[in-house]
């Protein structure tokens, strides 16, 4: 598992308890983490991060995405994980996509920034 190191930006330190588990650098890692959690655990994470998402996005928009400092990169990864769990929490009500059987989505490459 590839996590970023360091802490979150000071103004988002309230989210630090979630960063070690969820500030994951790749989509594959975020998806695997999602599948390893119960829907209640996903809900707790989502409910903790979502109220801060707009402010965090506005904050990150003040930086060049190609030159983010480590704390800001960690915050961005945390937001990516929140997005990864948003559909399971708000729509599916379970970690996996409903009615998908044994199907599994695996990205070959990460999108370019």
């Amino acid at each position: 598992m590839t996590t970023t190191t360091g802490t979150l930006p000071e103004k988002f330190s309230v989210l630090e308890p979630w960063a070690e588990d969820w500030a994951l650098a790749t989509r594959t890692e975020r998806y695997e983490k999602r599948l390893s959690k119960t829907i209640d655990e996903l809900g707790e994470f989502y409910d903790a991060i979502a109220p801060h998402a707009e402010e965090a996005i506005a904050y990150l928009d003040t930086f060049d995405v190609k030159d983010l400092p480590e704390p800001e990169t960690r915050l961005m990864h945390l937001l990516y994980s929140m997005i990864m769990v948003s559909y399971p929490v708000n729509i599916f009500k379970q970690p996996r996509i409903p009615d998908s059987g044994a199907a599994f989505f695996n990205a070959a490459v990460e999108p370019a920034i």
Side-chain angles (χ1 to χ4, degrees), residues 3 12 14 18 20 39 55 57 71-72 77 103 106:
T3 57
F12 298 101
V14 68
W18 301 99
E20 183 177 344
I39 192 62
E55 182 182 7
I57 292 166
E72 285 72 17
H77 290 163
N106 193 7

Side-chain angles (χ1 to χ4, degrees), residues 20-39:
E20 183 177 344
D21 217 24
W22 286 99
L24 302 170
T26 70
R27 187 222 158 271
T28 300
E29 291 169 318
R30 292 186 288 273
Y31 189 67
E32 287 173 359
K33 178 62 71 175
R34 177 179 115 183
L35 295 179
S36 77
K37 300 290 186 180
T38 66
I39 192 62

Side-chain angles (χ1 to χ4, degrees), residues 88-100:
V89 169
N90 295 312
I91 308 295
F92 306 152
K93 308 298 183 200
Q94 63 184 25
R96 290 192 170 273
I97 298 170
D99 303 319
S100 61

